Amino acid sequence: MAARALFSLSLSLGILISLCSADWNILNSQRTRNGIKISLKNYCEGWRMNVELHNIREFEVVPEECVDYVGKYMKSTQYEVDSERAIEECMVYLSTGCSLKRDGRDAWIFDIDDTLLSTVPYYKKHQYGGEKLNVTSLEEWMSKAKAPALEHSLTLFNEIKAKGIQIILVSSRREHLRSATIDNLVNVGFHGWSGLVLRGPEDELKGVQSYKAEVREKLVSGGYRIWGILGDQYSSIQGLPSAKRTFKLPNPLYYIS
């Protein structure tokens, strides 16, 4: 009897929790503080947009009520269109805004994860950012070198390479993933970069933004002109010294500072 009662209590609590988390689905719509009637999709679209605008920061997980929305977005035509538009703006800038010196010191910086290589297959198995990040699990997945290319980024990569611009890859991946990272990049079509910078033991206690800014400072001190940066996190493109132009790809899955 005690076991049956305990089971009934657990079941009731489970149903209650499910109802609370599915509150939006039950009501279909709610209202903002200003009284605007909105749906769950409106709410989650607003959340995603404000992540991209950098108004929402330091989040550890995607809100539970928006996990399904984020998963659908990352698989959608809209995500492809948003990414392609960012790359097109890079192309326009390359053709109209870069007075290249062609002396071996023109440079462009790329992040890697969700800029050149997609981690969506990993996050698909982890509630599209709805689970708190397990670094050990993510690095184990990265070590398998199976991440697919972001095709629009590959097109930009090859265009930049064709112009004789030095491509520098600056990632927050740790140094022990170097071989797997190189294998993965080459296997999906990326080759011909000039430098690959990963985090060493001396960088472990630094924030990603500080670490990447220090890398850029060394490049500038070495005589490089950084014409552009492409990343999916603000920590990849903010901080001094910066580039002539910075470009950000959409990514509501996680936040790295």
Side-chain angles (χ1 to χ4, degrees):
M1 289 294 292
R4 182 178 298 175
L6 181 59
F7 173 76
S8 298
L9 177 61
S10 298
L11 180 61
S12 298
L13 286 173
I15 293 172
L16 178 60
I17 291 170
S18 297
L19 287 174
C20 290
S21 64
D23 181 53
W24 279 95
N25 294 325
I26 294 170
L27 299 179
N28 291 322
S29 64
Q30 293 195 0
R31 293 183 183 274
T32 66
R33 291 179 181 177
N34 293 323
I36 302 173
K37 190 174 182 179
I38 61 172
S39 65
L40 175 58
K41 182 178 180 181
N42 295 145
Y43 172 80
C44 293
E45 180 68 20
W47 180 85
R48 182 185 68 81
M49 182 60 67
N50 277 276
V51 167
E52 301 300 349
L53 293 172
H54 213 203
N55 294 329
I56 295 175
R57 307 182 185 189
E58 305 292 345
F59 65 91
E60 293 187 344
V61 294
V62 172
E64 182 179 0
E65 62 269 27
C66 293
V67 166
D68 287 345
Y69 166 82
V70 168
K72 289 176 182 177
Y73 171 74
M74 296 305 296
K75 297 180 290 184
S76 71
T77 300
Q78 189 62 55
Y79 171 66
E80 291 291 330
V81 170
D82 293 344
S83 300
E84 184 176 25
R85 182 56 186 268
I87 298 302
E88 286 176 352
E89 293 303 319
C90 292
M91 294 285 199
V92 171
Y93 168 64
L94 272 175
S95 62
T96 63
C98 296
S99 302
L100 303 177
K101 303 297 183 183
R102 305 188 187 281
D103 58 358
R105 285 293 182 264
D106 296 312
W108 188 287
I109 293 175
F110 284 95
D111 181 27
I112 294 178
D113 292 307
D114 297 299
T115 299
L116 299 182
L117 301 176
S118 174
T119 66
V120 172
Y122 173 82
Y123 281 96
K124 180 180 179 180
K125 297 180 180 179
H126 296 274
Q127 296 187 44
Y128 289 103
E131 292 181 10
K132 192 171 182 179
L133 177 63
N134 182 320
V135 175
T136 301
S137 172
L138 177 60
E139 289 190 337
E140 182 180 351
W141 180 82
M142 290 175 172
S143 70
K144 296 176 182 178
K146 298 295 185 182
L150 290 169
E151 294 298 332
H152 303 308
S153 297
L154 179 57
T155 299
L156 175 64
F157 183 98
N158 287 330
E159 180 69 19
I160 289 173
K161 185 171 63 174
K163 289 182 176 293
I165 299 173
Q166 305 302 304
I167 294 175
I168 314 294
L169 310 183
V170 182
S171 173
S172 59
R173 288 189 177 201
R174 295 195 288 179
E175 185 62 40
H176 71 87
L177 288 167
R178 178 172 292 272
S179 293
T181 300
I182 292 173
D183 288 345
N184 199 159
L185 287 165
V186 172
N187 288 344
V188 297
F190 294 101
H191 55 83
W193 61 81
S194 301
L196 170 59
V197 183
L198 304 179
R199 298 182 81 174
E202 69 279 7
D203 301 312
E204 288 292 330
L205 299 180
K206 300 174 185 174
V208 172
Q209 181 173 314
S210 297
Y211 151 68
K212 292 192 173 185
E214 288 180 12
V215 172
R216 294 195 298 272
E217 185 174 11
K218 291 177 182 177
L219 290 171
V220 171
S221 297
Y224 284 97
R225 293 175 295 278
I226 306 174
W227 289 101
I229 302 172
L230 179 66
D232 67 293
Q233 299 288 316
Y234 279 94
S235 55
S236 293
I237 61 181
Q238 291 187 330
L240 298 174
S242 189
K244 304 288 185 181
R245 281 286 307 272
T246 60
F247 300 87
K248 184 185 179 301
L249 289 167
N251 184 1
L253 293 170
Y254 54 84
Y255 184 94
I256 297 176
S257 57

